Amino acid sequence: MVERSEINMADVARRAGVSVATVSRAMRGLPGVGEATRARILAIADELAYVISPEASRLSSGQTGRVGVVVPATEKWFYGEMLAAIERRLRAADLDVLLYQVSDTEVRRRFFQDLPTRRKVDGVVLIALPLPQEEVDRLDLLGVEVVVAGGRIRDFAHVEVDDRAIAMTAVEHLVGLGHRRIAMIRATIYGDEHWAPDTLRLEGFHQGLEAAGLPLRDDYVISVPFAPTAGAAGTQRLLALDEPPTAILCFSDEIAFGALQGARAAGLSVPGDVSIVGIDDHPLAEVMGLTTVRQDVAGQGERAADMILRRLSHTAVEDHVEPHELVIRTSTGPPRTP
Amino acid sequence: MVERSEINMADVARRAGVSVATVSRAMRGLPGVGEATRARILAIADELAYVISPEASRLSSGQTGRVGVVVPATEKWFYGEMLAAIERRLRAADLDVLLYQVSDTEVRRRFFQDLPTRRKVDGVVLIALPLPQEEVDRLDLLGVEVVVAGGRIRDFAHVEVDDRAIAMTAVEHLVGLGHRRIAMIRATIYGDEHWAPDTLRLEGFHQGLEAAGLPLRDDYVISVPFAPTAGAAGTQRLLALDEPPTAILCFSDEIAFGALQGARAAGLSVPGDVSIVGIDDHPLAEVMGLTTVRQDVAGQGERAADMILRRLSHTAVEDHVEPHELVIRTSTGPPRTP
């Protein structure tokens, strides 16, 4: 059934004499396809769908009553929080949520190869995850509405934060306290080479340093797996440098929780000897006294859910950038030696 | 459609001249229903299902290809972790997961009133949540296989930990270190009066104290909402007593993370002035140096998924008690004043 679905999309393209990408754009109502072409494509698609399966026509009218939510891993707070918000909003609209976890590279590859959501859902909310180009290309083949939450993938409607500005905000806070030796702990996830939030936050970090006239030091940027224990180990590495940083920006609060313990394990006090800043405002950040740049994860999930609801009712949507704010607690202070 | 489904179950009972509970037992293949009665009930059920909807017979043969997972809230680590494990296992068996979050009392009541999983799924995995009796009764009306994960509800197949023994293990550890003034922070969730893990852990706490010949002191047991900040506040209350405890058992690690900070905020050192023990082995427990009683949450989720798979293929299942183990880190030590 899955293979038939793929054949279907290719068949439509062949019969209409256009590319698969054009078929996809036409079906998603995106610009760049002439009205006559679009009408012809939709007619052919309807016809083929009818021949192949009665379920397909039900799908094309958007009536499975289900939305697929694709998420890397629900055990990680960020994804669990966003999924929670999306599910609540969709449930309130009487839609069911089909959950797809595509945590490791292999499962993800299979997901995008099998396109399992086809004919099972009316639309898909894709919670930000790193995708190689070939998998991005395959998203068109889903043949359903797609909304991206917590990031951006090609030209799909999306909700995101401004990762560059978030990192710059954190650096400005540290610079304002008098820090001049500021390090950053980046994070990698699922061994993927390119993860947009990581890349963008690094750019913001660099921009923040440049704006303050501070040098970019290679030894002050390290990359660790996305886990608290890795944050602790990374912090100890940074603090063991001949000229250690007086402040550390961490990719996320969960890395920062590790950093707090790493500093303590190195016999240093926070913020007396070293200041630590996170990003997120994780539920434990308050109790840990962590200074952080807050992003409203649940709010982004709700927005994304609203967006897919609008797409399903053929209403226009606008991309959304969720605001962030600095939350100052007790893990940052002036450096002892500026 | 939902109301027709409920009428259907009641109709079967009326026509067969038995109670709804008996119909449910017969359909779930549980003992206590004679073979002849069972056969008659199933025949009537098939007949009515056929009359009401062709989809119903598809359901009765277990072919939606979907399993419903009912969970209080995916943003809480325990539930996100268990959901992650269940989804992975079901996905590997080519089943889709329909997610239902029933976090607050109102949503839960609506869920159990509407029985939305009916005809949408082949089976349900219910992740432990507090249920009033009327909602427990309604589970029969789902008319599908039910497995309970992380707890126990009536006679449904279930995977659980031994909450009493877990609490006793923690108390024994503290007693072994020489503590005689041991307190417990209980947790409430969603304002529910009776939450089995909380009640059972309290019982285990009492049993542990009794076994050590220690008195049960009312002022050493407090109850807080299930949140780290509440754990911190509760700890400060306990430590402000005229005769404060020298050790605190927390309902869970997330409460214990709060307790660590609460002790620090009270100017006390851990474990010098007060020992803290959690329950779970949360991903942050290691980096926080928290002594805890570990339970394998993902393991329980996998077991529950396996159980529902077996039920769906009409294979017998056995209830399972997941083992636990004490993990000693740096948050516990001998008391200064035994």
Coordinates of all heavy atoms in Angstrom, one line a residue, chain B residues 38-114:
Chain B
R38 N -20.1 -17.3 27.0 CA -19.1 -16.5 26.3 C -19.5 -16.6 24.8 O -19.5 -15.6 24.1 CB -17.7 -17.0 26.5 CG -16.6 -16.1 25.8 CD -15.3 -16.8 25.8 NE -14.9 -17.4 27.1 CZ -14.3 -16.7 28.1 NH1 -14.1 -15.4 27.9 NH2 -14.0 -17.2 29.2
A39 N -19.7 -17.8 24.3 CA -20.0 -18.0 22.9 C -21.3 -17.2 22.5 O -21.3 -16.5 21.4 CB -20.2 -19.5 22.6
R40 N -22.3 -17.2 23.4 CA -23.5 -16.5 23.1 C -23.3 -15.0 23.0 O -23.7 -14.3 22.1 CB -24.6 -16.9 24.2 CG -26.0 -16.4 23.9 CD -27.0 -17.2 24.7 NE -26.6 -17.4 26.1 CZ -26.9 -16.5 27.1 NH1 -27.7 -15.5 26.8 NH2 -26.5 -16.7 28.3
I41 N -22.5 -14.5 24.0 CA -22.2 -13.1 24.1 C -21.5 -12.6 22.8 O -21.8 -11.6 22.2 CB -21.4 -12.8 25.3 CG1 -22.3 -12.9 26.6 CG2 -20.8 -11.4 25.2 CD1 -21.5 -12.8 27.9
L42 N -20.5 -13.4 22.4 CA -19.7 -13.0 21.3 C -20.5 -13.0 20.0 O -20.4 -12.2 19.1 CB -18.5 -14.0 21.1 CG -17.4 -13.8 22.2 CD1 -16.2 -14.8 22.0 CD2 -16.9 -12.4 22.4
A43 N -21.4 -14.0 19.9 CA -22.3 -14.1 18.7 C -23.2 -12.9 18.7 O -23.3 -12.2 17.6 CB -23.1 -15.4 18.8
I44 N -23.8 -12.5 19.8 CA -24.7 -11.3 19.8 C -23.9 -10.1 19.5 O -24.3 -9.2 18.8 CB -25.3 -11.3 21.2 CG1 -26.3 -12.4 21.4 CG2 -26.1 -9.9 21.4 CD1 -26.9 -12.6 22.8
A45 N -22.7 -10.0 20.1 CA -21.8 -8.8 19.9 C -21.5 -8.7 18.4 O -21.6 -7.6 17.8 CB -20.5 -8.9 20.7
D46 N -21.1 -9.8 17.8 CA -20.8 -9.7 16.4 C -22.0 -9.2 15.6 O -21.9 -8.4 14.7 CB -20.4 -11.1 15.9 CG -18.9 -11.4 16.1 OD1 -18.2 -10.4 16.5 OD2 -18.5 -12.5 15.9
E47 N -23.1 -9.8 15.9 CA -24.4 -9.5 15.1 C -24.7 -8.0 15.3 O -24.9 -7.3 14.3 CB -25.5 -10.3 15.7 CG -26.8 -10.2 15.0 CD -27.9 -10.8 15.8 OE1 -27.6 -11.7 16.7 OE2 -29.1 -10.5 15.6
L48 N -24.7 -7.5 16.5 CA -25.0 -6.1 16.7 C -24.0 -5.2 16.1 O -24.3 -4.2 15.5 CB -25.1 -5.8 18.2 CG -26.3 -6.3 18.9 CD1 -26.3 -5.9 20.4 CD2 -27.6 -5.7 18.2
A49 N -22.7 -5.6 16.2 CA -21.6 -4.7 15.6 C -21.8 -4.6 14.1 O -21.7 -3.6 13.5 CB -20.3 -5.4 15.9
Y50 N -22.2 -5.8 13.5 CA -22.4 -5.8 12.1 C -23.6 -4.8 11.7 O -23.5 -4.1 10.7 CB -22.8 -7.2 11.6 CG -23.1 -7.3 10.1 CD1 -22.0 -7.2 9.2 CD2 -24.3 -7.3 9.7 CE1 -22.2 -7.2 7.9 CE2 -24.6 -7.3 8.3 CZ -23.6 -7.3 7.4 OH -23.8 -7.3 6.1
V51 N -24.6 -4.9 12.5 CA -25.8 -4.0 12.2 C -25.4 -2.5 12.3 O -25.7 -1.7 11.5 CB -26.9 -4.3 13.1 CG1 -28.0 -3.3 13.0 CG2 -27.5 -5.7 12.9
I52 N -24.6 -2.2 13.4 CA -24.4 -0.8 13.6 C -23.4 -0.2 12.6 O -23.6 0.8 12.1 CB -23.8 -0.7 15.1 CG1 -25.0 -0.9 16.0 CG2 -23.3 0.7 15.3 CD1 -24.6 -1.0 17.5
S53 N -22.3 -0.9 12.3 CA -21.3 -0.4 11.5 C -20.4 -1.4 10.9 O -19.9 -2.3 11.7 CB -20.5 0.7 12.3 OG -19.2 0.8 11.7
P54 N -20.1 -1.4 9.6 CA -19.1 -2.3 9.1 C -17.7 -2.1 9.7 O -17.0 -3.1 9.8 CB -19.0 -1.9 7.6 CG -20.0 -0.9 7.4 CD -20.5 -0.4 8.7
E55 N -17.4 -0.9 10.2 CA -16.1 -0.7 10.8 C -16.0 -1.5 12.1 O -14.9 -1.9 12.4 CB -16.0 0.8 11.2 CG -15.2 1.6 10.2 CD -14.7 2.9 10.8 OE1 -15.5 3.6 11.3 OE2 -13.5 3.0 10.7
A56 N -17.1 -1.8 12.8 CA -17.0 -2.5 14.0 C -16.5 -3.9 13.8 O -15.7 -4.4 14.6 CB -18.4 -2.6 14.7
S57 N -16.9 -4.6 12.7 CA -16.4 -5.9 12.6 C -14.9 -5.9 12.2 O -14.1 -6.8 12.6 CB -17.2 -6.7 11.5 OG -17.2 -5.9 10.3
R58 N -14.5 -4.8 11.5 CA -13.0 -4.7 11.3 C -12.3 -4.6 12.6 O -11.3 -5.2 12.8 CB -12.8 -3.4 10.4 CG -11.4 -3.3 9.8 CD -11.4 -2.3 8.7 NE -11.7 -1.0 9.2 CZ -10.9 0.1 9.3 NH1 -9.6 -0.1 9.0 NH2 -11.3 1.2 9.8
L59 N -12.9 -3.8 13.5 CA -12.3 -3.6 14.8 C -12.2 -4.9 15.5 O -11.2 -5.3 16.1 CB -13.1 -2.6 15.6 CG -12.5 -2.4 17.1 CD1 -11.2 -1.7 17.0 CD2 -13.5 -1.7 17.9
S60 N -13.3 -5.7 15.5 CA -13.3 -6.9 16.3 C -12.3 -7.9 15.8 O -11.9 -8.7 16.6 CB -14.7 -7.5 16.4 OG -15.1 -8.0 15.1
S61 N -11.9 -7.7 14.6 CA -10.8 -8.6 14.1 C -9.5 -8.0 14.3 O -8.4 -8.5 13.8 CB -11.0 -9.0 12.7 OG -11.0 -7.9 11.8
G62 N -9.4 -6.8 15.0 CA -8.2 -6.2 15.4 C -7.4 -5.7 14.2 O -6.2 -5.9 14.1
Q63 N -8.0 -4.9 13.3 CA -7.3 -4.5 12.1 C -7.2 -3.0 11.9 O -7.0 -2.6 10.7 CB -7.9 -5.2 10.9 CG -7.6 -6.7 11.0 CD -8.2 -7.5 9.8 OE1 -9.0 -6.9 9.1 NE2 -7.8 -8.7 9.7
T64 N -7.4 -2.2 12.9 CA -7.1 -0.8 12.6 C -5.6 -0.5 12.5 O -5.3 0.5 11.9 CB -7.6 0.1 13.8 OG1 -6.8 -0.1 14.9 CG2 -9.1 -0.2 14.2
G65 N -4.8 -1.4 13.0 CA -3.4 -1.2 12.9 C -2.9 -0.1 13.9 O -1.8 0.4 13.8
R66 N -3.8 0.2 14.8 CA -3.4 1.3 15.8 C -3.6 0.9 17.2 O -4.5 0.1 17.5 CB -4.3 2.5 15.5 CG -4.0 3.2 14.2 CD -4.8 4.5 14.1 NE -6.2 4.3 13.9 CZ -6.9 4.2 12.8 NH1 -6.2 4.2 11.6 NH2 -8.2 4.0 12.7
V67 N -2.7 1.4 18.1 CA -2.9 1.2 19.5 C -3.0 2.6 20.1 O -2.2 3.5 19.8 CB -1.7 0.4 20.1 CG1 -1.7 0.4 21.6 CG2 -1.7 -1.1 19.6
G68 N -4.0 2.7 21.0 CA -4.1 4.0 21.8 C -3.2 4.0 23.0 O -3.1 2.9 23.7
V69 N -2.4 5.0 23.2 CA -1.6 5.1 24.4 C -2.2 6.3 25.2 O -2.2 7.5 24.7 CB -0.1 5.3 24.1 CG1 0.6 5.5 25.5 CG2 0.4 4.1 23.4
V70 N -2.7 6.0 26.4 CA -3.3 7.1 27.2 C -2.3 7.4 28.3 O -1.9 6.6 29.1 CB -4.6 6.5 27.8 CG1 -5.3 7.6 28.7 CG2 -5.5 6.0 26.8
V71 N -2.0 8.7 28.4 CA -0.9 9.2 29.3 C -1.3 10.5 29.9 O -2.1 11.3 29.3 CB 0.4 9.3 28.4 CG1 0.2 10.3 27.3 CG2 1.6 9.8 29.2
P72 N -0.9 10.7 31.1 CA -1.3 12.0 31.7 C -0.8 13.2 31.0 O -1.5 14.2 30.7 CB -0.8 11.9 33.2 CG -0.7 10.5 33.4 CD -0.3 9.9 32.1
A73 N 0.5 13.2 30.7 CA 1.2 14.4 30.2 C 2.6 14.1 29.7 O 3.4 13.7 30.5 CB 1.3 15.5 31.3
T74 N 2.8 14.3 28.4 CA 4.1 13.9 27.8 C 5.2 14.8 28.3 O 6.4 14.5 28.1 CB 4.1 13.9 26.3 OG1 3.9 15.2 25.8 CG2 3.0 13.0 25.8
E75 N 4.9 16.0 28.8 CA 6.0 16.9 29.2 C 6.7 16.4 30.6 O 7.8 17.0 30.9 CB 5.6 18.3 29.3 CG 4.7 18.7 30.5 CD 3.2 18.6 30.2 OE1 2.9 17.7 29.4 OE2 2.4 19.4 30.7
K76 N 6.1 15.5 31.3 CA 6.7 15.0 32.5 C 7.6 13.8 32.1 O 7.2 13.0 31.4 CB 5.7 14.5 33.5 CG 4.8 15.6 34.0 CD 4.7 15.7 35.5 CE 3.7 16.7 36.0 NZ 4.3 18.0 36.4
W77 N 8.8 13.8 32.7 CA 9.8 12.9 32.2 C 9.3 11.4 32.2 O 9.5 10.7 31.3 CB 11.1 13.0 33.1 CG 12.0 11.8 32.8 CD1 12.8 11.7 31.7 CD2 12.2 10.7 33.6 NE1 13.5 10.5 31.8 CE2 13.1 9.8 33.0 CE3 11.6 10.3 34.9 CZ2 13.5 8.6 33.5 CZ3 12.0 9.1 35.4 CH2 12.9 8.2 34.7
F78 N 8.7 11.0 33.4 CA 8.3 9.6 33.5 C 7.4 9.2 32.4 O 7.6 8.1 31.8 CB 7.6 9.4 34.9 CG 7.1 8.0 35.2 CD1 7.9 7.2 35.9 CD2 5.9 7.6 34.7 CE1 7.5 5.9 36.1 CE2 5.5 6.3 35.0 CZ 6.3 5.4 35.7
Y79 N 6.4 10.0 32.1 CA 5.5 9.7 31.0 C 6.1 9.7 29.6 O 5.8 8.9 28.8 CB 4.2 10.6 31.1 CG 3.6 10.5 32.5 CD1 3.4 11.6 33.3 CD2 3.1 9.2 33.0 CE1 2.8 11.5 34.5 CE2 2.5 9.1 34.2 CZ 2.4 10.3 35.0 OH 1.8 10.2 36.2
G80 N 6.9 10.8 29.4 CA 7.6 10.9 28.1 C 8.5 9.7 27.8 O 8.6 9.2 26.7
E81 N 9.2 9.3 28.9 CA 10.1 8.1 28.8 C 9.4 6.8 28.5 O 9.8 6.0 27.6 CB 10.9 8.0 30.1 CG 11.8 6.8 30.2 CD 13.2 7.1 29.8 OE1 13.5 8.2 29.4 OE2 14.0 6.1 29.8
M82 N 8.2 6.7 29.2 CA 7.5 5.4 29.0 C 6.8 5.4 27.6 O 6.9 4.4 26.9 CB 6.5 5.3 30.1 CG 5.9 3.9 30.1 SD 4.9 3.5 31.5 CE 6.2 3.0 32.7
L83 N 6.3 6.6 27.2 CA 5.7 6.7 25.9 C 6.7 6.4 24.8 O 6.4 5.7 23.8 CB 5.1 8.1 25.7 CG 4.5 8.4 24.3 CD1 3.4 7.6 24.0 CD2 4.1 9.9 24.3
A84 N 7.9 6.9 25.0 CA 8.9 6.7 24.0 C 9.2 5.2 23.8 O 9.3 4.8 22.6 CB 10.2 7.4 24.4
A85 N 9.3 4.5 24.8 CA 9.6 3.1 24.8 C 8.4 2.3 24.1 O 8.7 1.4 23.3 CB 9.9 2.5 26.1
I86 N 7.2 2.7 24.5 CA 6.1 2.0 24.0 C 5.9 2.2 22.5 O 5.7 1.3 21.7 CB 4.8 2.5 24.7 CG1 4.8 2.0 26.1 CG2 3.5 1.9 24.0 CD1 3.7 2.6 27.0
E87 N 6.1 3.5 22.1 CA 6.0 3.8 20.7 C 7.0 3.1 19.8 O 6.7 2.5 18.8 CB 6.1 5.3 20.5 CG 5.6 5.8 19.1 CD 6.6 5.8 18.0 OE1 7.8 5.5 18.2 OE2 6.3 6.0 16.8
R88 N 8.3 3.0 20.3 CA 9.3 2.4 19.5 C 9.0 0.9 19.3 O 9.2 0.3 18.2 CB 10.7 2.5 20.2 CG 11.2 3.9 20.0 CD 12.6 4.1 20.6 NE 12.9 5.5 20.6 CZ 13.1 6.3 21.7 NH1 13.2 5.7 22.9 NH2 13.2 7.6 21.6
R89 N 8.5 0.3 20.4 CA 8.2 -1.2 20.3 C 7.0 -1.4 19.4 O 7.1 -2.4 18.6 CB 8.0 -1.7 21.7 CG 7.9 -3.2 21.8 CD 9.2 -3.9 21.4 NE 10.3 -3.7 22.2 CZ 10.9 -4.5 23.1 NH1 10.3 -5.7 23.2 NH2 11.9 -4.2 23.7
L90 N 6.0 -0.6 19.5 CA 4.8 -0.8 18.6 C 5.1 -0.5 17.2 O 4.7 -1.2 16.3 CB 3.7 0.0 19.1 CG 3.1 -0.4 20.5 CD1 2.0 0.5 20.9 CD2 2.6 -1.8 20.5
R91 N 5.9 0.6 17.0 CA 6.3 0.9 15.6 C 7.1 -0.2 15.0 O 6.9 -0.6 13.8 CB 7.2 2.2 15.7 CG 7.9 2.6 14.4 CD 6.9 3.3 13.4 NE 6.2 4.4 14.1 CZ 4.9 4.7 13.8 NH1 4.3 4.1 12.9 NH2 4.3 5.6 14.5
A92 N 8.0 -0.9 15.7 CA 8.8 -2.0 15.2 C 7.8 -3.1 14.8 O 8.2 -3.9 14.0 CB 9.8 -2.4 16.3
A93 N 6.7 -3.2 15.4 CA 5.7 -4.2 15.1 C 4.7 -3.7 14.0 O 3.6 -4.3 13.8 CB 5.0 -4.7 16.3
D94 N 5.0 -2.6 13.4 CA 4.2 -2.0 12.3 C 2.8 -1.5 12.8 O 1.9 -1.5 12.0 CB 4.0 -3.0 11.2 CG 5.1 -2.9 10.2 OD1 5.7 -1.8 10.0 OD2 5.5 -3.9 9.6
L95 N 2.8 -1.1 14.1 CA 1.5 -0.6 14.6 C 1.7 0.9 14.8 O 2.8 1.4 15.1 CB 1.1 -1.2 15.9 CG 0.6 -2.6 15.8 CD1 0.4 -3.2 17.2 CD2 -0.8 -2.6 15.0
D96 N 0.7 1.7 14.5 CA 0.7 3.1 14.8 C 0.2 3.4 16.2 O -0.6 2.7 16.7 CB -0.2 3.9 13.8 CG 0.4 4.0 12.4 OD1 1.7 4.0 12.3 OD2 -0.3 4.0 11.4
V97 N 0.7 4.5 16.7 CA 0.3 4.9 18.1 C -0.6 6.2 18.0 O -0.2 7.2 17.5 CB 1.5 5.2 19.0 CG1 1.1 6.0 20.2 CG2 2.2 3.9 19.3
L98 N -1.8 6.0 18.5 CA -2.7 7.2 18.7 C -2.5 7.7 20.1 O -2.7 6.9 21.1 CB -4.2 6.8 18.5 CG -4.9 7.0 17.2 CD1 -6.4 6.8 17.4 CD2 -4.6 8.4 16.6
L99 N -2.2 8.9 20.3 CA -1.8 9.5 21.6 C -3.0 10.2 22.2 O -3.6 11.0 21.6 CB -0.6 10.4 21.4 CG -0.2 11.2 22.7 CD1 0.3 10.3 23.7 CD2 0.8 12.3 22.3
Y100 N -3.3 9.8 23.4 CA -4.3 10.6 24.2 C -3.7 11.1 25.5 O -3.3 10.3 26.3 CB -5.5 9.6 24.5 CG -6.2 9.1 23.3 CD1 -5.9 7.9 22.7 CD2 -7.2 9.9 22.8 CE1 -6.5 7.5 21.6 CE2 -7.9 9.5 21.7 CZ -7.6 8.3 21.1 OH -8.2 7.8 20.0
Q101 N -3.7 12.4 25.6 CA -3.3 12.9 26.9 C -4.5 13.3 27.7 O -5.3 14.0 27.3 CB -2.5 14.2 26.7 CG -1.1 14.1 26.4 CD -0.4 15.4 26.3 OE1 0.6 15.7 27.0 NE2 -0.9 16.3 25.5
V102 N -4.5 12.8 28.9 CA -5.7 13.1 29.8 C -5.2 13.6 31.1 O -5.4 13.1 32.2 CB -6.6 11.8 30.0 CG1 -7.3 11.4 28.7 CG2 -5.7 10.6 30.5
S103 N -4.5 14.8 31.0 CA -3.8 15.3 32.2 C -4.8 15.8 33.3 O -4.7 15.4 34.4 CB -2.9 16.5 31.7 OG -3.6 17.3 30.9
D104 N -5.6 16.7 33.0 CA -6.5 17.2 34.1 C -7.8 16.5 34.2 O -8.2 15.7 33.3 CB -6.7 18.8 34.0 CG -7.5 19.2 32.8 OD1 -8.6 18.5 32.5 OD2 -7.2 20.1 32.1
T105 N -8.4 16.6 35.3 CA -9.6 15.9 35.6 C -10.7 16.0 34.6 O -11.3 15.1 34.2 CB -10.1 16.4 37.0 OG1 -9.0 16.4 37.9 CG2 -11.1 15.4 37.6
E106 N -10.8 17.2 34.1 CA -11.9 17.5 33.1 C -11.7 16.8 31.8 O -12.5 16.1 31.3 CB -12.0 19.0 32.9 CG -13.1 19.5 31.9 CD -14.4 18.8 32.2 OE1 -14.7 18.6 33.4 OE2 -15.1 18.4 31.2
V107 N -10.4 16.9 31.3 CA -10.1 16.2 30.0 C -10.3 14.7 30.2 O -10.8 14.0 29.3 CB -8.7 16.5 29.6 CG1 -8.3 15.7 28.3 CG2 -8.5 18.0 29.3
R108 N -9.8 14.2 31.3 CA -9.9 12.8 31.6 C -11.4 12.3 31.6 O -11.8 11.3 31.1 CB -9.2 12.5 32.9 CG -8.7 11.1 33.1 CD -8.1 11.0 34.4 NE -9.2 11.2 35.5 CZ -8.9 11.6 36.7 NH1 -7.6 11.9 37.1 NH2 -9.9 11.8 37.5
R109 N -12.2 13.1 32.3 CA -13.6 12.8 32.4 C -14.2 12.7 31.0 O -15.0 11.8 30.7 CB -14.3 13.8 33.3 CG -15.7 13.4 33.8 CD -16.4 14.5 34.6 NE -15.5 15.1 35.5 CZ -15.2 14.6 36.8 NH1 -15.8 13.4 37.1 NH2 -14.4 15.2 37.6
R110 N -13.9 13.7 30.2 CA -14.4 13.7 28.8 C -13.9 12.5 28.0 O -14.7 11.9 27.3 CB -14.0 15.0 28.1 CG -15.0 15.4 27.1 CD -14.7 16.8 26.5 NE -13.9 17.7 27.3 CZ -12.7 18.2 26.9 NH1 -12.3 17.9 25.7 NH2 -12.0 19.0 27.7
F111 N -12.6 12.2 28.2 CA -12.1 11.0 27.5 C -12.9 9.8 27.8 O -13.3 9.0 27.0 CB -10.6 10.8 27.9 CG -10.0 9.6 27.3 CD1 -9.6 9.5 26.0 CD2 -9.9 8.4 28.1 CE1 -9.1 8.4 25.5 CE2 -9.4 7.3 27.6 CZ -9.0 7.2 26.3
F112 N -13.1 9.6 29.1 CA -13.8 8.3 29.5 C -15.3 8.4 29.2 O -15.9 7.3 29.1 CB -13.5 8.0 31.0 CG -12.1 7.4 31.2 CD1 -11.1 8.2 31.6 CD2 -11.9 6.1 30.9 CE1 -9.8 7.7 31.8 CE2 -10.7 5.5 31.0 CZ -9.6 6.3 31.5
Q113 N -15.8 9.6 29.1 CA -17.2 9.7 28.7 C -17.4 9.4 27.2 O -18.3 8.7 26.8 CB -17.8 11.1 29.0 CG -18.5 11.1 30.4 CD -18.8 12.5 30.8 OE1 -18.7 13.4 30.1 NE2 -19.2 12.6 32.1
D114 N -16.5 10.0 26.5 CA -16.6 9.9 25.0 C -16.1 8.6 24.5 O -16.4 8.2 23.4 CB -15.9 11.0 24.3 CG -16.5 12.4 24.6 OD1 -17.6 12.4 25.2 OD2 -15.9 13.4 24.3

